[in-house]
Amino acid sequence: MKKRYIFDLDGTLLTGNFSSTDQYFKEIYGDKAYPFLNDMTHILDRYEKLFPRYDYEDLSTFLTMKTGLDMSPRVIREWDQLVGEVKDVPEEYVQEVLEYLKSQGASLAVLTNWFGESQTNRLERAGLLEYFDTVYGGDIVTKPHKEAYWVAAAASKPEDCVFIGDNVDNDYIGPKACGMNSILYDKKNQYHKTLVKVRSLRELKDK
């Protein structure tokens, strides 16, 4: 049993319905919003690799340049507020696993690549916030920058930490390169079997 378990949020703890944020951009930009919405994941991934943290001004400048849309800091702030209000569904068995890990004396944290306050709001509304000692948002530092994993380890040594998430680069390779144990949450079984992974969060109890 390791001392500290660090979880990714989206696709690992919660699955959110972001239709309200999509509608927000459609109302502002009309049909011009569609290229951005279709490529949003890849655009944000590029931002995260280039910038060490999420910042309203930096994200505004980056998205305006990449999309050709006038994405002011005000737009980013309103987008972030909507993210904190999305309808989330907890992943299957997540509460059972978190209760088990806490009962074993483990400390639990979340490391997520978005603004921390809105992500914390989502966890609270889903009834999961009480299980975690700390939520580290991307406005502190973003994955896959090494500093993100060191921050999330807190007082624990990397080898005493386990990182669980669904993104190979951010949640498996990144923490492993920092000396952590990594477990990939691969519920669709789409990644190579040589990776240490689970298809169900319930399997973490047996790892």
Side-chain angles (χ1 to χ4, degrees):
M1 187 76 180
K2 297 296 182 180
K3 294 181 179 179
R4 187 165 178 82
Y5 290 77
I6 306 166
F7 287 82
D8 168 56
L9 192 152
D10 280 290
T12 303
L13 296 171
L14 300 174
T15 295
N17 180 344
F18 291 94
S19 58
S20 60
T21 62
D22 289 355
Q23 184 60 34
Y24 171 71
F25 286 113
K26 293 173 186 176
E27 290 174 358
I28 297 176
Y29 304 113
D31 290 345
K32 293 180 180 179
Y34 285 96
F36 167 61
L37 294 175
N38 292 336
D39 201 31
M40 182 191 295
T41 299
H42 295 102
I43 293 173
L44 292 180
D45 183 64
R46 288 197 289 274
Y47 175 90
E48 292 161 4
K49 286 180 168 59
L50 289 171
F51 291 83
R53 68 187 188 93
Y54 268 97
D55 174 86
Y56 289 133
E57 298 287 343
D58 288 342
L59 187 57
S60 168
T61 300
F62 180 81
L63 292 179
T64 298
M65 179 183 66
K66 288 293 182 182
T67 66
L69 303 173
D70 181 17
M71 293 213 182
S72 68
R74 178 186 62 80
V75 168
I76 305 299
R77 288 189 179 91
E78 291 179 354
W79 176 18
D80 180 35
Q81 183 177 350
L82 287 171
V83 168
E85 300 170 355
V86 300
K87 295 180 180 179
D88 283 300
V89 177
E91 287 292 309
E92 191 173 20
Y93 306 121
V94 65
Q95 198 158 5
E96 173 186 327
V97 169
L98 296 177
E99 287 180 355
Y100 170 77
L101 292 175
K102 292 294 283 188
S103 73
Q104 298 301 304
S107 67
L108 306 182
V110 174
L111 180 62
T112 173
N113 271 7
W114 189 251
F115 297 96
E117 184 176 354
S118 55
Q119 298 291 66
T120 299
N121 290 343
R122 293 173 63 195
L123 288 166
E124 184 172 25
R125 289 170 58 243
L128 300 182
L129 184 61
E130 63 184 279
Y131 296 103
F132 296 100
D133 303 320
T134 314
V135 177
Y136 300 98
D139 43 351
I140 298 175
V141 62
T142 55
K143 302 176 285 184
H145 298 279
K146 289 184 178 180
E147 291 82 1
Y149 309 108
W150 294 333
V151 166
S156 299
K157 296 178 180 178
E159 59 267 26
D160 291 330
C161 299
V162 180
F163 201 104
I164 301 104
D166 67 319
N167 183 287
V168 172
D169 291 332
N170 290 349
D171 305 327
Y172 191 85
I173 296 174
K176 188 173 286 291
C178 292
M180 292 184 177
N181 304 272
S182 300
I183 300 176
L184 184 69
Y185 179 37
D186 182 19
K187 61 181 178 180
K188 294 183 179 180
N189 199 29
Q190 57 186 330
Y191 295 104
H192 199 275
K193 62 182 179 181
T194 56
L195 301 182
V196 180
K197 62 180 187 173
V198 295
R199 293 192 63 182
S200 165
L201 291 177
R202 180 178 270 178
E203 296 176 47
L204 293 173
K205 296 167 67 174
D206 300 322
K207 289 288 182 182

